[in-house]
DNA sequence: AATATACTTAAGTACATGCTTAACCAATCG
DNA sequence: CGATTGGTTAAGCATGTACTTAAGTATATT
């Protein structure tokens, strides 16, 4: 893949990893520092920071450093984008079922 | 990653690729054969089949072969699983905001 | 000032992913 | 039957991903 990733690519890719989802899960309960995010994960700090970078690149998480502590938080609007894609698919699907229903009803009548 | 992927991993991973999302998008408008799925994609048939395998492994798509044609369709329940994960995060977040609101209201009163 | 804390940077490695081409097989059409 | 259509299998290759360890840099704490 020639690194022409769309926001949606980056978003779903970011959510495809259980460690990163655990970080998002933690952040949905409120902001946290990098080491707080790292605590439940069985890996080195640099690894966690790399996951964090993936999350930030996807837009799902933002962070800022104050003193020596980097505090992270969810960007809900970004998560919404991914959710919306799925909602759109479902709507298309439901419209299709409606049309199918109409068609069958017509058959019944005719 | 040591191939201990959960359903959610596979689902998000499957949706992280634009070709695969295009296939899901097509299937949300109704069933399709492998070559119908391939038509809009600028890649070889085997590549498309590999994407299809990823989608099937994730549970998002099911397929069956009749004669020499393999017909594919979305498994909506699976897509729902991914959507639910995101809804759960949002609910947690909203509960948190509610508690914060209550707290601030208390401060106001006291 | 010395030490500990909270990251950060860099480099390396093993494995996964997204393709490709070539060859193959089994239905169906003429 | 022989050619075509629709898909399948296998092998290979370039790039990406998920870690690791080692060393470094600020910012507190004592």
């Amino acid at each position: 893949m020639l690194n022409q990733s769309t926001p949606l690519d980056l978003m779903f890719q970011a959510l495809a990893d259980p460690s990163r989802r655990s970080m998002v899960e933690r952040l949905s309960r409120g902001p946290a520092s990098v080491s707080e995010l790292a605590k439940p994960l069985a890996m080195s700090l640099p690894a966690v920071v790399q996951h964090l970078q993936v999350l930030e690149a996807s837009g799902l998480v933002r962070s800022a450093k104050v003193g020596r502590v980097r505090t992270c938080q969810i960007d809900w609007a970004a998560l919404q984008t991914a959710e919306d894609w799925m909602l759109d698919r479902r709507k298309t699907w439901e419209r299709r079922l409606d049309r199918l229903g109409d068609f069958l009803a017509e058959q019944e009548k005719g």
Side-chain angles (χ1 to χ4, degrees), chain A:
Chain A
M1 194 183 290
L2 274 107
N3 248 11
Q4 275 185 312
S5 304
T6 70
L8 222 39
D9 292 1
L10 296 172
M11 207 100 67
F12 282 125
Q13 177 72 335
L15 293 174
D17 183 277
S19 307
R20 283 193 296 260
R21 280 203 309 281
S22 121
M23 292 167 77
V24 170
E25 229 161 304
R26 169 62 190 81
L27 290 175
S28 71
R29 287 192 282 278
S33 71
V34 173
S35 26
E36 277 170 343
L37 291 178
K39 214 170 291 173
L41 301 174
M43 64 182 67
S44 68
L45 231 202
V48 173
V49 171
Q50 283 167 40
H51 280 308
L52 181 58
Q53 282 164 357
V54 173
L55 287 169
E56 293 210 54
S58 78
L60 285 168
V61 168
R62 275 170 302 131
S63 79
K65 200 169 180 176
V66 171
R68 59 185 170 176
V69 176
R70 175 172 296 279
T71 301
C72 312
Q73 52 182 312
I74 274 194
D75 184 334
W76 170 256
L79 236 200
Q80 187 73 287
T81 304
E83 210 182 329
D84 284 348
W85 185 87
M86 307 210 264
L87 279 170
D88 287 350
R89 299 289 85 42
R90 186 163 62 182
K91 274 179 199 157
T92 303
W93 182 251
E94 280 164 0
R95 265 197 306 277
R96 183 184 125 77
L97 288 186
D98 283 354
R99 284 199 308 273
L100 188 60
D102 291 352
F103 173 75
L104 291 176
E106 279 305 305
Q107 294 293 89
E108 205 73 0
K109 265 197 291 182

